């Protein structure tokens, strides 16, 4: 090194120039700010470079540098590639240096991530992943909160250590929420997701400083194979392709949009607008460029360039809904097979758009197509609403076989090779099992019967060199089957709607799947992480009702979802009982009768029952018509608790649980269906409070003769979805939530006046409950945005807001805790004292 011209700087020789340029070869994003450039130059070279040295060098080497203005100032990269030798070792040094630059707080000596340079928050994960030490960085729970989600998600897709797998899964579980969440919201969501993974210690760390922290949660909706979810988007068709060397998904939707998005981080590349809803599509390479062939519900078939979004041409001839599109290569040229409502299967040359063959044979709508090679000839395998699977020779357009055996419409077809023999896997809309067919002789090889409802889609993929099939449908799961052994290997959970779409591909050499549906946001799965996973217990369907009660002197939560009622020890989440209700649970209410804990449960198909929660046995059935039981409650009748049920037939029935009779004690027909009920005391006398489809609150007297409804309040809601009763200033009050309303109304039941309105929910309120803590009455509300709000009712003021990974359908209070039904999971939150 030689001295400069009196300015205190140094003039670098050629070795010094290389050392100063080397950090820029590893720069991420827009580039390195000047201060960190100097830090990394010292870390990589061992020389004591200063910011002044780097600044002077920058002024002389401008032609080698690309400068970008960012909100934080200038950032620098190399115009051309630089020296990235010994990359793993260099990235380790860069990671260590960046971590040293994160200040420490004065209390516990923890890293103060809010004070870290933006480049570190944005790009530390990329450097740590390249160095193979990302999982060590993730041990700092605060980093999970403060890291930029997009950068961390990209880095998480680089395989890490076995020890870091859980924290990666915790972050990925709700990464779609993290991208737009505030720091406090991200902290809440991460803490709950940690509890769902059984990581209660991590949950405590993450919820530091928040008003509520997770005590425990079930985790049936999480799976480590999940990479991310694209929310706010329903899909009706999907395929995968490669664009600019990166894997992408192409999805079609009923809203006429075709979306192209990156499978690594979920960023959207392109949106194509069709002239109608897109329900079928597939991708092909034409003239070396990626294209998509789309089919719409009005019969249009078009070919689009995925680089530019331009339409290449239209394939004309179909009439009616296009339900099946598939692309293949014949004689070295890309082709498409299309079919749908007009029952014709058509083959198109995608180079010139000409129709090569027209194949009649199906006697009803064609719903699916896949491709195989049989006896050295390319074939298409189609399935349709005529309950058949048909095999077509694509060289001469002749039907080669009709495979029968399905008892309902065939919605999906996929093809693979098992033990060297071509096979097709098919799923029917009215059947739980999928069928495996040998395409050589047309025989049925196996029926895979693990799905608990009808199967709408199948997709084949190789895992570890063995053929597998993914199946999905109305049970909201994606199941992975080994086709060599006809054995189920994994169940991917988390969707909250029917799964109608599956597509498989590879990302960095690992097998991936995209799943979704008309009412299920698309999810991306790494199938390499699908199999080795121990499923945690809990509901396998939406938790629709929650309650609390003491059993043997200990508080318990009681939850209803799928077809079961589950009883949980509130302290530690241990499951005490699983009670099989037999039908989907719609409502439940808990009480204590003569010191014993009981639950009244209502379900679909008119199923209502009283359960002894201590013994875990059914006490008695409550017979009624074959109508869904909308809601249940316990009400005081002559000093003893009675069960009240409200059915879809607009009838309120009152039952004495001590008498095993076929008829209710009281029956009253209502003007409109009752959606919510609660027992209240007005003027010192017990009443039943109901909320109905006609938006009215009604007070019912359940004893004596004469008029049962003693008061009616017209709320102004479109309809009453939920209600809760409480006491304010010594007077009975009711809280009501209605339809898709974003406000909760607070009513004085003594005179029927509106006391206040709880406003500020960003979406419709789904559930409401009340609790009294420290002589203060609070309201707890949940809305469609995935948040729980806690309100001080006296001044009608929002006290706290807790972000959830998914929206909560039901909530109740238990002492200083909240019990929440969130999708299929149960979450218990403690107030942070």
């Amino acid at each position: 090194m030689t001295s400069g011209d009196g300015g205190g700087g140094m003039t670098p020789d050629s070795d010094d120039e290389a050392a100063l340029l080397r950090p820029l070869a590893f720069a991420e994003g827009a580039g390195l700010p000047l201060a960190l450039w100097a830090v990394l130059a010292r870390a990589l070279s061992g020389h004591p470079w200063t910011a002044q040295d780097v600044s002077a060098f920058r002024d002389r080497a401008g032609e080698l540098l690309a400068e970008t203005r960012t909100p934080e100032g200038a950032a620098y990269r190399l115009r051309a590639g630089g020296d990235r030798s010994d990359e793993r070792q260099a990235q380790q040094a860069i990671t260590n240096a960046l971590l040293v630059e994160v200040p420490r707080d004065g209390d516990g000596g923890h890293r103060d991530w809010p004070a870290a340079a933006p480049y570190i928050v944005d790009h530390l994960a990329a450097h740590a992943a390249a160095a193979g030490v990302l999982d060590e960085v993730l041990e700092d729970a605060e980093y999970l909160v403060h890291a930029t989600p997009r950068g961390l998600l990209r880095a998480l897709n680089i395989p890490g250590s076995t020890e870091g797998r859980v924290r990666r899964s915790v972050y990925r579980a709700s990464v779609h929420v993290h991208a737009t969440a505030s720091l406090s919201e991200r902290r809440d969501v991460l803490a709950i997701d940690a509890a769902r993974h059984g990581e209660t210690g991590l949950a405590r760390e993450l919820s530091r400083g928040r008003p509520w922290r997770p005590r425990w949660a079930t985790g049936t909706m999480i799976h480590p194979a999940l990479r991310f979810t694209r929310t706010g988007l329903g899909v009706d068709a999907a395929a995968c392709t490669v664009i600019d060397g990166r894997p992408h998904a192409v999805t079609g939707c009923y809203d006429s949009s075709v979306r192209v998005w990156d499978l690594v981080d979920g960023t959207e590349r392109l949106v194509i607008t069709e002239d109608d809803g897109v329900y079928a599509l597939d991708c092909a390479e034409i003239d070396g460029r990626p294209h998509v062939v789309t089919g719409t519900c009005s019969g249009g078939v078009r070919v689009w360039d995925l680089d530019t979004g331009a339409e290449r041409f239209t394939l004309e001839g179909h009439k009616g809904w296009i339900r099946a599109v598939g692309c293949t290569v014949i004689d070295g040229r890309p082709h498409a097979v299309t079919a749908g409502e007009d029952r014709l299967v058509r083959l198109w040359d995608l180079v010139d758009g000409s129709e090569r063959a027209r194949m009649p044979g199906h006697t009803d709508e064609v719903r699916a197509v896949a491709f195989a090679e049989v006896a050295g000839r390319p074939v298409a395998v189609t399935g349709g609403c005529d309950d058949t699977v048909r095999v077509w020779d694509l060289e001469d357009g002749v039907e080669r076989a009709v495979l029968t055996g399905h008892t309902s419409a065939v919605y999906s077809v996929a093809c693979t090779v098992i033990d060297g023999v071509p096979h097709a896997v098919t799923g029917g809309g009215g059947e739980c099992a999928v069928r495996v067919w040998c395409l050589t002789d047309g025989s049925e090889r196996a029926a895979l019967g693990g799905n608990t409802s009808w199967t709408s889609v199948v997709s084949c993929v190789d895992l570890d060199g063995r053929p597998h099939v993914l199946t999905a449908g109305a049970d909201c799961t994606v199941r992975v089957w080994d086709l060599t052994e006809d054995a189920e290997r994994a169940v991917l959970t988390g969707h909250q709607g029917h799964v109608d779409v599956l597509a498989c591909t590879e990302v960095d050499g690992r097998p991936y799947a995209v799943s979704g549906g008309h009412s299920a946001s698309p999810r991306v799965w790494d199938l390499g992480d699908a199999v080795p996973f121990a499923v945690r217990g809990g509901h396998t369907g939406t938790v629709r009702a929650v309650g609390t009660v003491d059993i043997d002197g200990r508080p318990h939560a009681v939850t209803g979802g799928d077809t079961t009622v589950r009883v949980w020890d509130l302290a530690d989440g241990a499951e005490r009982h699983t009670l099989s209700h037999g039908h989907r649970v719609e409502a439940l209410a808990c009480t204590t009768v003569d010191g014993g804990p009981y639950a009244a449960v209502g379900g679909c198909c008119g199923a209502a029952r009283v359960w002894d929660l201590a013994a875990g046995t059914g006490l008695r059935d409550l017979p009624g018509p074959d109508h869904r039981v909308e809601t249940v409650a316990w009400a005081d009748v002559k000093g003893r608790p009675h069960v009240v049920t409200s059915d879809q037939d607009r009838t309120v029935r009152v039952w004495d649980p001590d008498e095993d009779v076929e008829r209710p004690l009281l029956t009253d027909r209502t003007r409109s269906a009752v959606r919510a009920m609660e027992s209240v005391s007005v003027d010192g006398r017990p009443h039943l409070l109901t909320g109905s489809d006609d938006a009215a609150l009604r007070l019912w007297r359940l004893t004596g003769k004469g008029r049962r409804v003693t008061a009616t309040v017209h709320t102004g809601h479109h309809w009453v979805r939920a209600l809760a009763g409480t006491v304010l200033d010594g007077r009975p009050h009711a809280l009501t939530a209605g339809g898709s309303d974003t406000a909760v109304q607070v009513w004085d039941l003594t005179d029927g006046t509106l006391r206040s309105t709880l406003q500020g929910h960003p979406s419709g309120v789904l559930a409401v409950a009340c609790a009294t803590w420290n002589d203060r009455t609070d309201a707890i509300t949940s809305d469609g945005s995935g948040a729980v709000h806690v309100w001080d009712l006296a001044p009608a003021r929002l006290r706290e807001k807790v972000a959830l990974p998914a929206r909560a359908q039901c909530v109740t209070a238990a002492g200083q805790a909240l019990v929440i039904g969130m999708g299929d999971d149960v979450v218990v939150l403690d107030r942070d004292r």
Side-chain angles (χ1 to χ4, degrees):
M1 303 295 298
T2 59
S3 297
D5 56 0
M10 292 178 284
T11 303
D13 56 26
S14 58
D15 290 340
D16 293 335
E17 177 180 326
L20 285 168
L21 290 175
R22 193 158 193 247
L24 300 185
F26 298 98
E28 297 287 337
L32 288 170
L34 194 67
L36 287 180
W37 183 359
V39 168
L40 299 189
R42 292 195 295 269
L44 292 176
S45 68
H47 292 295
W49 303 106
T50 67
Q52 290 81 4
D53 297 330
V54 174
S55 178
F57 173 70
R58 173 202 61 190
D59 295 340
R60 291 192 295 272
E63 72 279 0
L64 301 176
L65 311 177
E67 179 178 331
T68 303
R69 304 303 300 181
T70 72
E72 294 78 32
Y76 301 93
R77 297 180 61 91
L78 292 177
R79 291 187 182 277
D83 177 16
R84 292 179 67 99
S85 59
D86 300 321
E87 179 168 0
R88 192 178 182 90
Q89 181 179 353
Q91 293 281 20
Q92 176 74 75
I94 290 170
T95 300
N96 293 340
L98 293 177
L99 286 171
V100 169
E101 289 300 303
V102 181
R104 300 275 182 170
D105 62 34
D107 297 328
H110 301 289
R111 289 191 177 95
D112 185 4
W113 289 102
Y119 180 89
I120 299 176
V121 176
D122 291 345
H123 302 300
L124 173 63
H127 294 294
V133 296
L134 178 59
D135 291 329
E136 297 173 23
V137 175
L138 298 182
E139 286 298 311
D140 187 337
E142 288 299 300
Y143 177 68
L144 291 172
V145 176
H146 291 88
T148 301
R150 182 178 177 186
L152 181 51
L153 177 61
R154 282 180 174 269
L156 289 175
N157 285 327
I158 299 173
S161 67
T162 302
E163 294 77 13
R165 186 181 184 210
V166 172
R167 293 203 176 203
R168 289 172 179 252
S169 183
V170 167
Y171 193 85
R172 287 171 173 143
S174 302
V175 72
H176 57 287
V177 177
H178 304 326
T180 57
S182 66
L183 289 178
S184 60
E185 291 169 339
R186 195 179 301 154
R187 189 180 293 278
D188 287 341
V189 170
L190 282 167
I192 293 171
D193 281 339
R196 294 165 81 195
H197 281 77
E199 296 291 313
T200 53
L202 177 59
R204 284 193 296 271
E205 288 184 68
L206 289 165
S207 58
R208 186 177 64 179
R210 297 296 294 148
W212 295 86
R213 58 181 175 80
R215 182 187 297 182
W216 57 266
T218 60
T220 54
M221 290 179 64
I222 59 173
H223 198 290
L226 178 67
R227 288 303 175 259
F228 63 87
T229 304
R230 281 179 55 90
T231 56
L233 175 67
V235 294
D236 294 284
C240 296
T241 189
V242 175
I243 305 175
D244 295 336
R246 292 177 64 85
H248 285 70
V250 184
T251 57
C253 185
Y254 61 90
D255 66 0
S256 306
S257 65
V258 177
R259 299 178 183 273
V260 184
W261 41 281
D262 193 314
L263 282 176
V264 176
D265 59 15
T267 54
E268 193 166 84
R269 176 190 179 104
L270 179 68
V271 179
I272 298 170
T273 302
E274 260 283 10
D275 64 355
D276 213 332
V278 178
Y279 287 84
L281 60 80
D282 201 5
C283 295
E285 185 177 284
I286 308 173
D287 299 332
R289 297 167 64 88
H291 287 70
V292 63
V293 182
T294 59
T296 69
C297 58
S298 58
V301 180
R302 292 175 180 83
V303 182
W304 305 85
D305 188 317
L306 291 177
D307 279 328
T308 64
E311 182 181 336
R312 182 182 178 108
F313 41 66
T314 299
L315 308 178
E316 297 181 346
H318 277 294
K319 296 179 181 179
W321 205 310
I322 304 300
R323 285 292 196 174
V325 173
C327 294
T328 188
V329 175
I330 304 173
D331 297 330
R333 293 169 67 91
H335 285 69
V337 171
T338 59
E341 196 173 13
D342 64 6
R343 309 175 187 178
L344 282 175
V345 179
R346 295 172 184 257
L347 176 65
W348 310 86
D349 187 318
L350 291 179
V351 175
D352 57 20
S354 61
E355 185 179 54
R356 179 166 172 175
R358 186 178 303 181
M359 296 168 278
H362 279 284
T363 59
D364 206 335
E365 181 178 82
V366 183
R367 296 295 298 264
V369 61
F371 302 100
E373 185 176 286
V374 179
R377 297 174 68 87
V379 301
V381 183
T382 58
C385 293
D386 58 3
D387 304 351
T388 67
V389 178
R390 297 173 186 258
V391 183
W392 310 86
D393 190 312
L394 291 180
E395 290 189 350
D396 56 19
V398 173
E399 183 179 274
R400 294 302 183 190
V402 179
L403 311 180
T404 59
H406 277 287
T407 58
S408 62
V410 180
Y411 281 175
S412 54
V413 178
C415 293
T416 189
V417 176
I418 307 173
D419 298 328
V421 179
H423 284 73
V425 184
T426 58
E431 303 171 51
C432 297
V434 299
R435 299 171 186 263
V436 184
W437 308 85
C438 175
L439 292 178
T440 301
D441 59 15
S443 63
E444 184 177 328
R445 171 192 171 112
L448 311 178
N451 291 80
T452 59
S453 188
W454 48 266
T455 303
S456 59
V457 62
V458 297
S459 183
C460 289
V461 63
D462 277 356
L463 300 178
D464 298 325
R466 295 165 66 94
H468 287 67
V469 66
L470 277 59
T471 66
D475 66 3
C476 306
T477 66
V478 177
R479 297 171 185 265
V480 184
W481 301 81
D482 186 324
L483 289 174
T484 302
E485 301 179 359
D486 299 327
E488 184 180 282
R489 295 304 186 197
V491 180
L492 309 180
T493 57
H495 280 296
Q496 290 186 264
H498 295 175
V499 180
D500 308 309
V501 173
L502 284 172
C504 295
T505 188
E506 282 194 358
V507 177
D508 295 330
R510 294 176 65 87
Y512 270 56
V514 179
S515 62
H518 189 84
S519 58
S521 297
R523 291 183 159 222
V524 178
W525 311 87
D526 183 340
L527 298 178
D529 284 343
V531 176
F533 176 63
V535 177
R536 300 183 64 221
H539 288 285
T540 58
T542 300
V543 179
R544 299 178 182 275
V546 296
T548 59
V549 70
D550 281 357
I551 305 177
D552 298 333
R554 294 173 62 86
H556 284 68
V558 184
T559 58
D562 46 59
T563 61
T564 66
V565 175
R566 296 174 188 255
V567 184
W568 314 85
D569 190 313
L570 201 57
D572 58 11
E575 190 173 346
R576 179 179 181 128
H577 296 303
T578 298
L579 313 176
S580 178
H581 190 66
H583 297 274
R584 188 180 69 231
V585 175
E586 299 288 346
L588 67 81
C590 299
T591 194
T592 300
V593 181
D594 297 330
Y598 292 88
V601 180
C604 65
C605 304
R609 183 175 297 173
V610 178
W611 293 89
D612 181 332
L613 297 177
T617 57
L619 182 66
R620 61 166 298 193
D621 292 337
L622 306 178
D626 191 19
H627 295 286
R628 184 175 65 211
V629 179
E630 297 282 4
T631 185
V632 297
W634 291 90
D636 186 292
V637 179
K638 298 180 180 180
R640 289 189 59 79
H642 284 59
V643 178
V644 187
T645 64
S646 172
D647 299 341
Q648 198 175 22
D649 67 350
R650 298 183 290 116
T651 303
V652 173
R653 296 175 173 85
V654 181
W655 306 84
D656 186 340
D658 292 335
E659 297 184 13
D660 190 11
V661 295
E662 291 299 312
R663 295 175 61 83
L665 178 69
L666 182 149
T667 301
D668 205 326
R669 188 83 168 177
T670 60
R671 293 182 178 180
S672 63
V674 173
R675 299 291 185 178
M677 295 192 299
E678 184 150 338
S679 180
V680 296
S681 178
V682 179
D683 297 329
R685 303 178 64 181
H687 286 72
L688 178 71
L689 180 66
T690 65
S692 306
D693 275 353
D694 61 2
L697 274 179
R698 293 181 173 86
L699 273 176
W700 298 67
R701 179 175 51 82
L702 299 180
T703 56
K705 297 182 180 180
R707 187 170 180 264
R708 300 292 183 188
V709 177
T710 63
T712 301
V713 176
H714 296 284
T715 64
H717 294 302
H718 182 62
W719 55 278
V720 176
R721 176 194 291 270
L723 65 82
T726 190
V727 176
L728 284 175
D729 301 328
R731 295 163 68 93
H733 284 70
L735 282 66
T736 60
S740 58
D741 295 353
T742 59
V744 173
Q745 298 174 349
V746 184
W747 298 91
D748 189 325
L749 294 178
T750 303
D751 55 18
T753 58
L754 180 64
R755 173 183 176 130
S756 59
T757 302
L758 309 181
Q759 298 180 339
H761 298 93
S763 60
V765 178
L766 304 176
V768 60
C770 293
T772 300
W773 294 312
N774 301 324
D775 298 324
R776 186 189 71 244
T777 301
D778 283 359
I780 302 99
T781 60
S782 68
D783 63 27
S785 70
V788 169
H789 299 71
V790 181
W791 308 79
D792 188 337
L793 268 183
R797 177 177 60 87
L798 180 65
R799 289 177 52 81
E800 299 142 357
K801 180 180 176 182
V802 183
L804 304 178
R807 69 181 186 178
Q809 298 87 349
C810 47
V811 61
T812 194
Q816 295 288 313
L818 299 178
V819 183
I820 300 167
M822 185 189 72
D824 298 3
D825 284 338
V826 180
V827 178
V828 177
L829 302 179
D830 277 329
R831 181 180 289 281
D832 190 352
R833 300 180 181 86

